[in-house]
């Protein structure tokens, strides 16, 4: 080796010989090293998972609460550590993140980033104005109009001539129906730029919506007044007739309410008792129950001047589908009502008007409607119905 090194001119054969010798010595050195398994790499069964965590290869940014790769954690520290950044730098870093999320329409993550920027305690009014305005935009896109308006107005506090924040305030005020605020914001925008098309359009739209809502409010107020007048007339008519209700919450001196008069039977619930157009006759919803078949017929509007015979003629204009024996027909049935307060039943005179039946001492309006029971005359069904054990209602 030394002899070869001393020669000045090398032949090709000598160079090849030297190369072969060096390769042999390197192989001998490697073979002499201690054999040890390499354990610093990624496990074969989790290499894809580990790669996705590595900041150089990850396909998405970690979300709050995720475990992060140490290298990513280090990068985060460089970007967000208060010891490594000034307050302004921190605020701008978070603003950059928020803008990234806004671009990808991840508005809640944007709100989080802008909020962290605000919490960095920067004292730069321009930076704070941008952070509040951008957070206002993020809130606006997820329809948090109240929060959006609040942030836009905070942005104007830090930067009074901030056109974007003033426009956002106008938009939010319109959505929240705060018409005076919307008008003020639009007018201030037009003072700076008389050709601001969006502000002109929103100002007109705001005015029209305000007029429409005020008109609807007047209509609703007038209708509410008419409804209250109708109810007072209805209440007076019921009280004049001394009509009684079996609702346990109602005593002799209880005040009638719309809730009390609303029928509890589903087919009748949209047809509460009311006065006719002349205001002289009560129109009642009524339920006719057939104990034998465990079902009921309903009549939604029965004038109190109708007799029970009139009601039965309507009920049996067609045969009952379940009455195979044809026992339920005009002249072959008895009608009863139940006095739940004392636990007994009373037979109804078919020639009487409903007003007279309702005025009887034992009759109580049940669930906002008239309730009658229909059974065949002198039948087993009638006997069982009359003799059925009933407990008087107990009122607290």
């Amino acid at each position: 080796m030394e002899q070869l090194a001393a020669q000045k001119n090398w032949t090709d054969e000598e160079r090849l010989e030297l190369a072969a010798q060096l390769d042999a010595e390197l192989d001998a050195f490697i073979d002499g090293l201690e054999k040890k398994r390499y354990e610093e790499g990624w496990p074969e069964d989790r290499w894809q998972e580990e790669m996705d965590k590595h900041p150089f290869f990850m396909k998405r940014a970690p979300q709050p609460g995720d475990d992060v790769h140490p290298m990513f954690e280090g990068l985060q520290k460089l970007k967000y550590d208060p010891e490594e950044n000034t307050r302004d730098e921190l605020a701008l870093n978070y603003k950059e993140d928020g803008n990234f999320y806004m671009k990808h329409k991840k508005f809640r993550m944007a709100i989080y980033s802008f909020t962290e920027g605000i919490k960095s305690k920067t004292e730069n009014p321009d930076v704070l104005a941008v952070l509040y305005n951008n957070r206002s935009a993020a809130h606006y896109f997820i329809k948090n109009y109240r929060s959006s308006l609040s942030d836009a107005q905070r942005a104007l506090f830090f930067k009074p001539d901030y056109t974007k924040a003033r426009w956002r305030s106008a938009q939010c005020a319109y959505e929240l129906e705060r018409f005076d605020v919307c008008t003020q914001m639009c007018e201030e925008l037009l003072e700076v730029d008389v050709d601001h098309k969006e502000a002109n359009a929103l100002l007109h739209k705001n005015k029209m919506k305000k007029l429409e809502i005020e008109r609807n409010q007047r209509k609703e107020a007038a209708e509410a007044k008419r409804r209250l007048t109708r109810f007072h007339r209805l209440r007076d008519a019921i009280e004049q007739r001394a009509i009684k209700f079996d609702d346990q919450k109602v005593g002799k001196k209880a005040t009638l309410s719309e809730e009390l008069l609303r029928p509890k039977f589903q087919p009748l619930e949209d047809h509460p008792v009311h006065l006719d157009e002349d205001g002289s006759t009560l129109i009642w919803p009524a339920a006719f129950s057939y104990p034998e078949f465990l079902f009921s017929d309903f009549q939604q509007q029965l004038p109190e001047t109708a007799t029970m015979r009139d009601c039965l003629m309507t009920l049996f204009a067609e045969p009952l589908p379940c009455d195979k024996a044809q026992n339920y027909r005009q002249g072959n049935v008895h009608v009863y009502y139940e006095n739940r307060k004392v636990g007994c039943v009373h037979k109804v005179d078919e020639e009487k008007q409903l007003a007279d039946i309702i005025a009887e001492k034992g009759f109580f309006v049940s669930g906002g409607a008239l309730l009658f029971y229909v059974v065949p005359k002198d039948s087993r069904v009638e006997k069982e119905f009359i003799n059925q054990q009933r407990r008087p209602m107990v009122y607290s």
Side-chain angles (χ1 to χ4, degrees):
M1 182 72 178
E2 295 177 358
Q3 182 181 1
L4 290 172
Q7 296 180 9
K8 296 182 179 179
N9 297 320
W10 293 74
T11 64
D12 292 340
E13 291 78 4
E14 289 171 340
R15 293 178 185 278
L16 291 173
E17 181 182 354
L18 178 59
Q21 186 177 347
L22 291 173
D23 287 342
E25 289 177 357
L26 179 60
D27 290 341
F29 173 77
I30 292 174
D31 291 340
L33 293 175
E34 180 184 356
K35 300 295 189 290
K36 184 179 180 182
R37 180 180 178 83
Y38 179 66
E39 297 178 350
E40 301 298 326
W42 292 334
E44 292 183 5
D45 58 336
R46 292 189 293 108
W47 70 269
Q48 183 67 51
E49 178 184 346
E50 295 296 332
M51 179 175 284
D52 289 340
K53 293 180 181 178
H54 197 285
F56 292 166
F57 304 107
M58 62 175 50
K59 297 178 181 178
R60 68 177 185 88
Q63 302 300 307
D66 289 353
D67 293 332
V68 297
H69 191 280
M71 187 177 294
F72 189 89
E73 190 174 0
L75 293 173
Q76 281 186 318
K77 188 173 183 181
L78 287 175
K79 187 173 182 179
Y80 303 112
D81 192 339
E83 296 181 1
E84 302 289 342
N85 299 271
T86 66
R87 292 179 179 179
D88 286 356
E89 288 173 339
L90 280 175
L92 291 173
N93 287 340
Y94 282 116
K95 180 180 78 72
E96 180 183 341
D97 291 347
N99 290 344
F100 172 83
Y101 288 124
M102 289 290 288
K103 181 179 179 181
H104 292 84
K105 298 184 179 180
K106 296 184 177 181
F107 301 118
R108 297 189 188 279
M109 288 300 300
I111 290 171
Y112 171 81
S113 296
F114 295 134
T115 300
E116 290 300 309
I118 293 168
K119 288 164 62 177
S120 69
K121 299 182 180 179
T122 178
E123 296 179 357
N124 187 321
D126 289 337
V127 174
L128 284 169
V130 171
L131 286 169
Y132 275 110
N133 181 65
N134 290 3
R135 192 172 72 172
S136 171
H139 276 302
Y140 183 84
F141 285 121
I142 57 175
K143 299 185 179 181
N144 288 343
Y145 299 123
R146 198 174 303 279
S147 297
S148 181
L149 177 59
S150 176
D151 278 350
Q153 291 181 331
R154 286 293 292 169
L156 287 172
F157 172 80
F158 289 108
K159 188 177 180 181
D161 61 346
Y162 203 167
T163 300
K164 287 184 178 179
R166 184 163 279 104
W167 173 240
R168 186 71 65 196
S169 293
Q171 289 178 301
C172 294
Y174 174 79
E175 296 294 345
L176 294 170
E177 297 181 357
R178 296 180 60 176
F179 302 115
D180 293 341
V181 175
C182 182
T183 298
Q184 178 186 347
M185 294 295 105
C186 289
E187 289 177 347
E188 289 176 0
L189 285 167
L190 292 170
E191 286 178 5
V192 177
D193 180 8
V194 70
D195 295 324
H196 197 301
K197 294 181 180 179
E198 292 83 0
N200 266 313
L202 183 58
L203 186 62
H204 176 73
K205 188 178 178 183
N206 181 68
K207 181 181 179 181
M208 292 298 101
K209 187 175 182 181
K210 181 181 180 182
L211 291 174
E212 180 184 0
I213 288 180
E214 289 175 346
R215 182 170 60 252
N216 291 339
Q217 288 174 342
R218 289 193 297 270
K219 288 182 179 179
E220 290 173 3
E223 177 57 30
K225 186 176 181 180
R226 288 193 293 270
R227 187 167 60 248
L228 184 61
T229 300
R230 288 196 299 268
F231 176 75
H232 286 165
R233 290 175 180 171
L234 174 63
R235 181 193 61 191
D236 293 343
I238 290 174
E239 290 178 348
Q240 287 171 4
R241 291 164 173 75
I243 296 173
K244 302 173 290 297
F245 295 78
D246 70 357
D247 191 304
Q248 66 180 28
K249 295 181 182 179
V250 179
K252 293 181 180 179
K253 297 181 180 180
T255 303
L256 294 175
S257 66
E258 291 184 349
E259 177 60 29
L260 175 66
L261 299 179
R262 184 176 296 113
K264 306 305 185 290
F265 302 96
Q266 186 174 0
L268 303 175
E269 60 185 9
D270 294 329
H271 301 275
V273 59
H274 59 278
L275 286 166
D276 64 2
E277 293 182 0
D278 296 334
S280 59
T281 303
L282 286 174
I283 309 298
W284 286 96
F288 293 85
S289 177
Y290 304 96
E292 181 178 3
F293 305 122
L294 301 179
F295 86 95
S296 301
D297 273 330
F298 300 94
Q299 295 193 19
Q300 296 172 338
Q301 300 187 63
L302 283 178
E304 62 181 352
T305 54
T307 65
M308 182 54 67
R309 184 180 298 278
D310 296 331
C311 298
L312 294 176
M313 287 179 62
T314 302
L315 286 176
F316 302 133
E318 296 181 4
L320 295 180
C322 52
D323 180 25
K324 305 301 181 183
Q326 297 185 348
N327 292 325
Y328 291 82
R329 60 186 187 277
Q330 185 78 32
N332 196 49
V333 295
H334 281 154
V335 180
Y336 292 85
Y337 64 82
E338 193 173 37
N339 184 338
R340 297 174 65 191
K341 290 186 179 291
V342 298
C344 66
V345 294
H346 301 271
K347 186 187 294 184
V348 174
D349 183 346
E350 293 184 11
E351 302 302 326
K352 278 189 175 184
Q353 292 185 345
L354 291 178
D356 296 328
I357 298 170
I358 297 170
E360 292 180 6
K361 182 178 179 180
F363 190 92
F364 293 83
V365 176
S366 179
L370 310 181
L371 178 59
F372 299 102
Y373 298 89
V374 183
V375 293
K377 279 183 180 180
D378 304 323
S379 65
R380 173 187 56 81
V381 174
E382 182 177 27
K383 291 178 182 178
E384 290 178 353
F385 175 74
I386 294 173
N387 296 324
Q388 179 182 342
Q389 186 176 1
R390 297 174 175 82
R391 292 184 179 181
M393 291 183 67
V394 179
Y395 295 88
S396 55

